[in-house]
Amino acid sequence: MKIDRLIGIITILLREEKVTISHLAKRFEVSCRTVQRDIDDICKAGIPIVSMKGYGGGISIAEGYKIDKTILTRKELGAIFIGLKSIDSISKHNYTQSLTEKLTSEKSTVLSEQNHVIIDLGSFYQVSLTEKIDLIRQAIDNRELISFRYYSEKRESVRTIEPYFIIFRWFSWYVYGYCLTRQDYRLFKLNRLSGLQNLKTNYEARSVSEKQLEFDQYIWRDDIKLVALFDVSAKYRLIDEYGPECISLDDRSGKLLFENVFTNYNYMVQWILSYGETVKVIEPCELVNDLRIIAKNLLDQYD
């Protein structure tokens, strides 16, 4: 991307007294004309670049111009590259290696610091996930419509959307866009869609407000307090999922008293069922009644 190249050129000029246009063109794998345009943009931004012609000539930052040579510290670069490596885990392209070489001369030091933190955003369906993300990213860049078959809790349907964002949240990947079928903004989970296609049809980008980017509203719509008693054997899992603050010891039963607010009723039901006989729900009453019905239906099915 151009901004990466501009930062890279500035970093090199800060590090070296003088470089040639051809050296920068080769370094960033672009034409000399492109580098010259980049230099013009850097000058417009207020950083004076001087050019010296002839043998031993090149370009440099004007003498006497003071600029903070710590635009990015080693720790800041390390943080950037940790983020890039996490993107590399779900991308067909490796951005970390090329950008590391372009932005810093302390490659070995920065790379070694990155190794202390590893973020892998992949999943069990890694191949299809990477392909979906790559296709959607291209569609967003080119402002092109995409279509797919979507499987939701209530039904399955074919959707056509204007894609705007790819989101990793709630431990899953989503595409956010304007659904032409529903005439509204929607969030779609990537592992629930199939037959993804780029329709190669351009759309005019809509203005997305900050309120529309509050993604919780597309997933969580309830506000339910759950109170339940769990066997002590479930303690590690409760702490793993919601932290030690969510549980306390119930003196009368000797069990773990769990209290927490859930924002999606169906998720809460499935979560409770995953604990089997190690949990007894106290409230809400609606959940207690639903669990009785589910238990009866299970018993009938295996009777």
Side-chain angles (χ1 to χ4, degrees):
M1 292 185 293
K2 183 174 180 176
I3 187 64
D4 298 333
R5 194 169 63 247
L6 292 175
I7 294 173
I9 291 173
I10 293 171
T11 304
I12 290 172
L13 291 173
L14 288 171
R15 200 169 59 231
E16 302 178 23
E17 289 187 7
K18 184 170 53 181
V19 294
T20 64
I21 295 288
S22 59
H23 171 77
L24 291 173
K26 184 177 180 181
R27 181 76 176 270
F28 293 97
E29 300 176 354
V30 295
S31 67
C32 290
R33 178 175 291 184
T34 296
V35 172
Q36 187 59 61
R37 285 197 293 265
D38 290 341
I39 297 299
D40 292 340
D41 289 337
I42 292 172
C43 289
K44 290 176 184 177
I47 301 177
I49 307 295
V50 295
S51 176
M52 293 154 281
K53 297 182 179 179
Y55 180 77
I59 60 172
S60 64
I61 294 177
E63 186 176 352
Y65 179 77
K66 295 188 180 297
I67 185 171
D68 184 2
K69 295 196 175 186
T70 59
I71 289 178
L72 292 174
T73 66
R74 194 169 66 230
K75 287 187 179 296
E76 289 169 337
L77 281 171
I80 290 172
F81 294 135
I82 288 170
L84 284 174
K85 284 178 71 176
S86 69
I87 296 299
D88 285 346
S89 69
I90 48 89
S91 174
K92 288 183 176 181
H93 312 286
N94 189 316
Y95 297 99
T96 309
Q97 188 68 25
S98 60
L99 199 56
T100 302
E101 293 174 352
K102 292 172 183 176
L103 289 184
T104 178
S105 61
E106 301 177 84
K107 177 181 172 183
S108 59
T109 304
V110 173
L111 286 176
S112 65
E113 288 183 356
Q114 293 176 48
N115 293 332
H116 301 317
V117 180
I118 299 174
I119 303 174
D120 191 338
L121 299 177
S123 70
F124 292 114
Y125 55 103
Q126 179 67 23
V127 175
S128 62
L129 172 65
T130 300
E131 291 174 351
K132 288 175 182 177
I133 289 177
D134 191 57
L135 186 150
I136 295 170
R137 286 180 66 175
Q138 290 183 33
I140 293 173
D141 290 341
N142 298 327
R143 290 290 185 257
E144 294 172 328
L145 298 175
I146 60 173
S147 71
F148 48 83
R149 178 170 291 277
Y150 194 68
Y151 303 88
S152 66
E153 183 181 351
K154 297 178 180 178
R155 66 180 71 88
E156 64 180 78
S157 58
V158 175
R159 301 294 185 96
T160 299
I161 73 167
E162 302 168 358
Y164 289 104
F165 298 100
I166 298 171
I167 302 158
F168 182 78
R169 199 167 182 182
W170 311 295
F171 309 106
S172 298
W173 285 95
Y174 297 82
V175 57
Y176 175 79
Y178 189 83
C179 178
L180 299 184
T181 308
R182 296 288 182 264
Q183 293 292 299
D184 199 2
Y185 292 96
R186 289 289 188 272
L187 203 58
F188 299 95
K189 200 171 186 178
L190 292 195
N191 66 340
R192 289 188 186 174
L193 58 86
S194 66
L196 178 63
Q197 296 181 63
N198 184 331
L199 299 181
K200 301 296 181 181
T201 301
N202 293 108
Y203 62 87
E204 186 175 344
R206 301 169 192 267
S207 177
V208 183
S209 68
E210 289 188 12
K211 182 174 179 58
Q212 289 163 331
L213 294 178
E214 294 174 358
F215 299 118
D216 285 349
Q217 64 180 305
Y218 301 100
I219 299 293
W220 317 119
R221 296 186 175 91
D222 304 314
D223 189 11
I224 313 150
K225 182 179 181 181
L226 172 67
V227 180
L229 291 173
F230 285 83
D231 287 350
V232 177
S233 61
K235 183 176 183 178
Y236 79 97
R237 185 178 160 189
L238 293 171
I239 292 175
D240 180 51
E241 294 179 312
Y242 290 101
E245 299 82 11
C246 70
I247 56 174
S248 59
L249 184 64
D250 181 64
D251 294 329
R252 289 187 300 174
S253 64
K255 294 180 179 292
L256 299 174
L257 179 65
F258 174 89
E259 296 183 78
N260 197 42
V261 173
F262 283 74
T263 51
N264 184 284
Y265 185 79
N266 290 330
Y267 172 80
M268 181 176 64
V269 171
Q270 297 302 318
W271 184 76
I272 284 292
L273 288 173
S274 70
Y275 280 88
E277 60 185 12
T278 65
V279 58
K280 179 180 180 181
V281 173
I282 307 301
E283 60 177 79
C285 295
E286 178 188 2
L287 178 58
V288 174
N289 293 330
D290 285 344
L291 289 175
R292 284 197 184 103
I293 295 171
I294 292 171
K296 183 179 182 304
N297 290 340
L298 282 172
L299 186 60
D300 291 343
Q301 184 170 324
Y302 289 100
D303 191 4

